[in-house]
Amino acid sequence: MDISTKHKSNKLITEKSPYLLQHAYNPVAWYPWCDEAFEKAKKENKPIFLSIGYSTCHWCHVMEKESFEDEEVASLMNELFVSIKVDREERPDIDNIYMTVCQLMTGSGGWPLTAFLMPDKKPFFSGTYFPKHSHHGRIGMMDLLNRINELWNTKKDDVIESSNNITDLLNQITNNTQTGELDKSVTQTAFDQLALNFDNEYGGFGRSPKFPSPHNLMFLLNHWKNTKNEKALNMVEKTLMSMRQGGMFDHIGFGFHRYSTDARWFLPHFEKMLYDQAMLAIAYTEVYQATKNEHYKNVVDEIFTYLTRDMRDSKGGFYSAEDADSEGVEGKFYVWSHSEIKQVLNDDEAAFLIKLFNITEDGNYLEEATKEKTETNILYLKDNLSKDQLEQLKPIRQKLFGLREKRIHPYKDDKILTSWNGLLIAALSKAAKAFGDKRYAKYAQDIADFIFSNMYKGDKLFHRYRENDVSISGHLDDYAFLIWGLLELYEATFEIKYLEKALELNEYTLKYFWDEKNGGFYFTSSESNENIVRQKEFYDGAIPSGNSISMLNLFKLYKITSDLRLKEYVRKLEQSFYSYVKQSPVSHTFFLMSFNDVCGLSYEIVVVGDKEKEDTRLVLRSIYEQYLPNKIVVLKDSDSSSLLKIAKYTESMKTIDDKATVYICQDGKCNQPVTNTDKIITLLTV
């Protein structure tokens, strides 16, 4: 990490967060989020200047260079405020609160997030990026700091009243007590809303910017499965094909960039996030199961090639993100000039690549910051590659990859987050099942082993690991996402320890995160009391909410264990979603997939047999090759004592004629056990 030593370090220097360390030599007298900062603000009668961002955020870098590295701005901040810097990936609990405030006050949000707080943490003003100086109607930092200071000194009572009103509103939102029973019409409404906003020309939703939002695609695939509406499947395929063809995808090193700044998936915001790779891998895996199109399988392999090569820690966990910028320029690492291509490749190779990826001598890349055309090119395709083109491209791509490796790389945020690694366990496990690839299951097991060896103490998860340091108690997403991953990993390996851990973590979540009065899960544990409110997240944003995934987990665990207590939690959680889903079904698509499972026909499948024998493997392959989102699979083998403690109903289930035998139950009714794979497929596809 390139940290300037022009200035004396501030109090961020002892932190582990890569983002905070990036600011450790700013002339701003930054504090991390800590009691010392708030005590200082109270003692000196100063408001808090709160800045929230993350290490790979392009506009966070811009604001740092314009303001936080600027002596004039820093001097004013140090004189008038106590300044706190927060890594939103490390402290999503803090970010969630003040991002909600920003959205309430301005109608939108984003990072860098800027907020002004009372010394008691209550907010009274919020915004996002501010330039140093005011221009074109946008207030700049110098004017903003002076105006806030004037308000603080002349209208303090109004500021206090405002902060109290905002905090009261946050509590009202969190403690929404309106509940009710949803019906399946909300899933059709969500589909209609997505269809109305669908871009028929390029795929995706809306015009620009376009985000991957894989859970929306997973919902559409689920809707297609339940309704046979081909339009839903077409929307998924169009979007996934277009994203893979466009500049959104790194055609040389693989993996997806964060989002597209234009409608056609051409010009990306170049950062790469672990959670996007995980969720997109799930979407591509599931559409492969639905269509058997090998193209989607190849994309999944490309995603995991990138992750295991560039983002995997030697101990088994996966890093968080890679920056959009290198050498201070967004996208510089990823773009290519026409002359560079000609120099590194022979004439035939260059001609092939230039035509294939639409490379021009003048360049096709419009630099986002300046809106000026450069002489560099973003590689993109107009059509999917044929098998012949793929083979021809392989050695050429390797040459370009080798050359690119010599460039200065974008900064890599090497902290390991339980939540995002939980999503990756789910993605790897789903791919292991769908493709019969043991490599993926092994990577998923390594992540789980890493988390339980390094980020789990007693019965408690921790959120962040970096440089052998573990801190920050786990949030709902850490528990929910990891439980989901473990349930998928159990089905990929049938190692009972993963199912046992999922149940153990679920009990902890119910004990410390569940709202006994109003239902739903809080984002923070009842053991945490440092924030002004305990929020609940129901909205599925860049990734699904912890409540949405908990709905899925609870239903799966109920089906596996037949524990009626878990079924009751499912019912109460569904009710707690009521007002949010009724208001905007399309904002809760992952929840609606779980809701479909609860309301629809779900499969409970028990396979009795030895997982090491060929007949059992063939039976499992016949199940896992199908797109069956609403199923649980349990394996009963010769050593079934641990399983019987969890799923006692399997006690009487035995093999027939010493063959792997499958018991399929649906909607409270069980079929006769079967050993024939064709019969299994028939029962699962009716």
Side-chain angles (χ1 to χ4, degrees):
M1 186 186 304
D2 179 22
I3 298 178
S4 170
T5 56
K6 179 181 176 182
H7 300 99
K8 182 181 176 183
S9 62
N10 54 49
K11 290 183 179 291
L12 301 182
I13 194 64
T14 59
E15 294 296 305
K16 288 294 184 181
S17 159
Y19 177 62
L20 299 188
L21 289 171
Q22 286 175 353
H23 293 264
Y25 287 96
N26 290 167
V28 177
W30 291 115
Y31 282 79
W33 183 274
C34 60
D35 291 340
E36 182 184 357
F38 293 103
E39 288 298 324
K40 177 180 173 66
K42 184 176 181 181
K43 182 179 179 181
E44 297 181 6
N45 189 29
K46 290 180 178 179
I48 299 288
F49 179 95
L50 175 65
S51 178
I52 303 177
Y54 55 104
S55 70
T56 59
C57 166
H58 172 68
W59 285 100
C60 299
H61 300 328
V62 173
M63 192 166 175
E64 179 185 17
K65 290 185 186 304
E66 287 184 346
S67 294
F68 303 145
E69 292 180 353
D70 183 87
E71 298 282 0
E72 188 179 17
V73 176
S75 176
L76 199 57
M77 290 175 65
N78 295 340
E79 177 188 352
L80 304 178
F81 304 93
V82 174
S83 298
I84 295 177
K85 180 62 79 169
V86 167
D87 180 343
R88 69 111 174 172
E89 295 168 355
E90 194 173 71
R91 294 301 305 266
D93 55 325
I94 298 170
D95 179 59
N96 290 347
I97 292 171
Y98 298 104
M99 182 59 72
T100 302
V101 172
C102 185
Q103 290 165 340
L104 289 171
M105 297 186 77
T106 69
S108 63
W111 298 276
L113 177 62
T114 303
F116 291 87
L117 321 181
M118 303 292 295
D120 61 3
K121 305 177 185 177
K122 294 179 181 178
F124 60 88
F125 180 86
S126 187
T128 53
Y129 160 76
F130 295 97
K132 178 181 177 181
H133 296 293
S134 302
H135 62 93
H136 301 303
R138 186 182 197 126
I139 191 169
M141 278 287 287
M142 295 299 292
D143 289 337
L144 177 64
L145 296 172
N146 282 311
R147 287 192 195 180
I148 295 293
N149 180 58
E150 183 180 356
L151 277 174
W152 184 260
N153 290 319
T154 63
K155 297 184 178 180
K156 183 77 167 290
D157 290 343
D158 292 345
V159 171
I160 293 171
E161 182 180 4
S162 176
S163 72
N164 288 332
N165 290 339
I166 292 168
T167 305
D168 288 345
L169 183 56
L170 287 172
N171 278 297
Q172 289 173 27
I173 293 170
T174 295
N175 297 314
N176 180 6
T177 58
Q178 184 182 1
T179 62
E181 297 289 340
L182 294 166
D183 60 65
K184 294 203 73 175
S185 66
V186 295
T187 62
Q188 181 62 42
T189 302
F191 168 76
D192 291 341
Q193 290 174 337
L194 287 169
L196 184 65
N197 202 30
F198 184 68
D199 183 343
N200 289 293
E201 185 175 6
Y202 298 115
F205 305 95
R207 297 303 299 165
S208 64
K210 278 184 177 172
F211 290 83
S213 303
H215 48 282
N216 287 342
L217 304 176
M218 293 163 62
F219 165 78
L220 287 170
L221 202 60
N222 186 286
H223 187 74
W224 163 77
K225 181 70 174 179
N226 290 328
T227 65
K228 310 304 180 189
N229 185 334
E230 290 296 319
K231 183 177 181 181
L233 178 59
N234 293 339
M235 290 162 69
V236 174
E237 290 207 76
K238 177 67 176 177
T239 302
L240 291 178
M241 288 284 190
S242 297
M243 281 198 296
R244 172 58 180 81
Q245 290 168 3
M248 264 282 292
F249 186 75
D250 177 0
H251 293 275
I252 300 302
F254 302 150
F256 283 89
H257 297 299
R258 180 67 193 91
Y259 63 86
S260 177
T261 63
D262 65 342
R264 61 191 180 102
W265 304 106
F266 164 67
L267 177 58
H269 182 43
F270 286 92
E271 66 184 311
K272 292 180 179 178
M273 310 300 292
L274 179 62
Y275 60 77
D276 282 327
Q277 315 306 321
M279 293 299 294
L280 281 166
I282 293 173
Y284 279 99
T285 297
E286 291 187 346
V287 80
Y288 167 79
Q289 290 174 306
T291 65
K292 302 301 186 288
N293 185 334
E294 289 286 322
H295 168 75
Y296 300 121
K297 181 180 178 182
N298 291 338
V299 179
V300 175
D301 188 64
E302 290 168 341
I303 292 171
F304 291 148
T305 295
Y306 157 65
L307 288 178
T308 55
R309 182 193 66 223
D310 293 346
M311 300 298 285
R312 186 170 184 259
D313 184 82
S314 60
K315 294 182 179 180
F318 282 74
Y319 304 138
S320 295
E322 287 193 298
D323 207 332
D325 300 7
S326 57
E327 301 180 72
V329 179
E330 182 174 11
K332 184 173 183 178
F333 181 75
Y334 297 102
V335 296
W336 297 86
S337 69
H338 186 274
S339 60
E340 193 175 17
I341 296 294
K342 297 282 283 186
Q343 287 170 8
V344 72
L345 302 177
N346 65 43
D347 289 347
D348 289 341
E349 291 173 333
F352 170 75
L353 194 83
I354 286 167
K355 182 179 180 181
L356 187 69
F357 285 112
N358 305 284
I359 295 167
T360 68
E361 290 189 41
D362 293 336
N364 62 29
Y365 175 36
L366 186 72
E367 195 167 342
E368 186 180 5
T370 62
K371 302 303 179 188
E372 293 179 357
K373 199 169 188 180
T374 71
E375 293 183 356
T376 54
N377 293 269
I378 295 172
L379 306 189
Y380 72 99
L381 300 166
K382 291 183 178 177
D383 298 294
N384 283 331
L385 297 173
S386 67
K387 287 187 177 180
D388 288 343
Q389 287 174 319
L390 274 171
E391 287 304 310
Q392 190 175 351
L393 179 61
K394 282 181 181 178
I396 300 173
R397 191 192 68 80
Q398 282 299 330
K399 282 187 180 181
L400 292 183
F401 180 79
L403 179 63
R404 199 178 78 173
E405 281 295 282
K406 297 175 184 177
R407 296 176 178 176
I408 296 175
H409 283 241
Y411 175 71
K412 187 176 297 181
D413 188 320
D414 61 355
K415 67 178 178 291
I416 296 171
L417 301 177
T418 298
S419 53
W420 296 1
N421 275 263
L423 293 179
L424 186 56
I425 293 174
L428 287 161
S429 301
K430 280 178 172 285
K433 291 185 288 181
F435 308 136
D437 195 323
K438 291 183 178 180
R439 293 176 305 157
Y440 298 152
K442 181 61 169 64
Y443 286 130
Q445 288 177 294
D446 288 347
I447 299 171
D449 291 346
F450 172 83
I451 290 173
F452 286 115
S453 296
N454 297 280
M455 305 179 74
Y456 185 70
K457 298 180 180 179
D459 59 353
K460 183 177 177 180
L461 277 175
F462 285 82
H463 175 62
R464 189 268 293 146
Y465 172 97
R466 185 170 185 266
E467 295 180 346
N468 296 316
D469 180 81
V470 179
S471 65
I472 308 167
S473 296
H475 309 118
L476 175 62
D477 288 2
D478 296 302
Y479 287 87
F481 295 1
L482 181 56
I483 292 167
W484 182 29
L486 292 172
L487 290 174
E488 297 293 344
L489 183 54
Y490 166 72
E491 290 190 1
T493 63
F494 292 111
E495 291 196 18
I496 197 71
K497 65 180 180 180
Y498 298 124
L499 182 53
E500 291 171 338
K501 278 296 183 187
L503 284 162
E504 183 181 309
L505 292 171
N506 189 65
E507 286 304 309
Y508 187 96
T509 311
L510 291 171
K511 181 177 180 179
Y512 291 104
F513 291 85
W514 181 257
D515 179 356
E516 292 290 350
K517 182 178 180 181
N518 300 314
F521 291 97
Y522 288 109
F523 190 78
T524 53
S525 164
S526 58
E527 295 182 311
S528 172
N529 59 3
E530 64 175 305
N531 295 326
I532 56 173
V533 295
R534 284 184 77 196
Q535 279 196 305
K536 293 179 197 165
E537 278 201 318
F538 292 98
Y539 168 75
D540 295 326
I543 52 178
S545 73
N547 271 291
S548 290
I549 289 185
S550 292
M551 178 84 167
L552 174 70
N553 294 340
L554 285 165
F555 186 65
K556 280 180 172 287
L557 289 170
Y558 157 64
K559 287 294 185 179
I560 291 170
T561 63
S562 296
D563 185 342
L564 293 176
R565 182 179 59 100
L566 298 180
K567 184 180 181 181
E568 182 63 14
Y569 277 112
V570 171
R571 185 186 69 81
K572 290 178 179 178
L573 185 53
E574 175 194 326
Q575 289 181 332
S576 67
F577 267 92
Y578 175 78
S579 62
Y580 304 103
V581 175
K582 291 293 284 185
Q583 182 178 2
S584 179
V586 75
S587 301
H588 302 84
T589 51
F590 197 96
F591 163 78
L592 289 175
M593 285 189 289
S594 306
F595 178 69
N596 278 340
D597 290 355
V598 173
C599 296
L601 297 177
S602 62
Y603 297 95
E604 300 95 55
I605 304 167
V606 179
V607 178
V608 185
D610 186 339
K611 68 179 179 180
E612 300 302 327
K613 289 187 176 180
E614 183 64 19
D615 62 339
T616 306
R617 287 200 291 265
L618 287 173
V619 162
L620 290 170
R621 291 291 297 134
S622 70
I623 295 169
Y624 288 151
E625 284 176 348
Q626 312 303 314
Y627 174 61
L628 294 168
N630 50 344
K631 72 176 185 310
I632 60 101
V633 182
V634 171
L635 178 74
K636 181 184 178 186
D637 56 18
S638 56
D639 182 15
S640 60
S641 57
S642 295
L643 178 65
L644 290 177
K645 293 177 183 177
I646 295 170
K648 188 169 178 56
Y649 60 86
T650 63
E651 187 171 17
S652 61
M653 296 178 177
K654 295 177 171 54
T655 58
I656 297 174
D657 299 330
D658 202 30
K659 296 178 181 177
T661 305
V662 180
Y663 295 75
I664 300 174
C665 298
Q666 187 182 41
D667 196 30
K669 301 184 291 291
C670 294
N671 295 289
Q672 288 292 319
V674 292
T675 58
N676 181 279
T677 54
D678 291 336
K679 180 64 173 176
I680 293 168
I681 294 170
T682 299
L683 289 172
L684 293 175
T685 54
V686 292

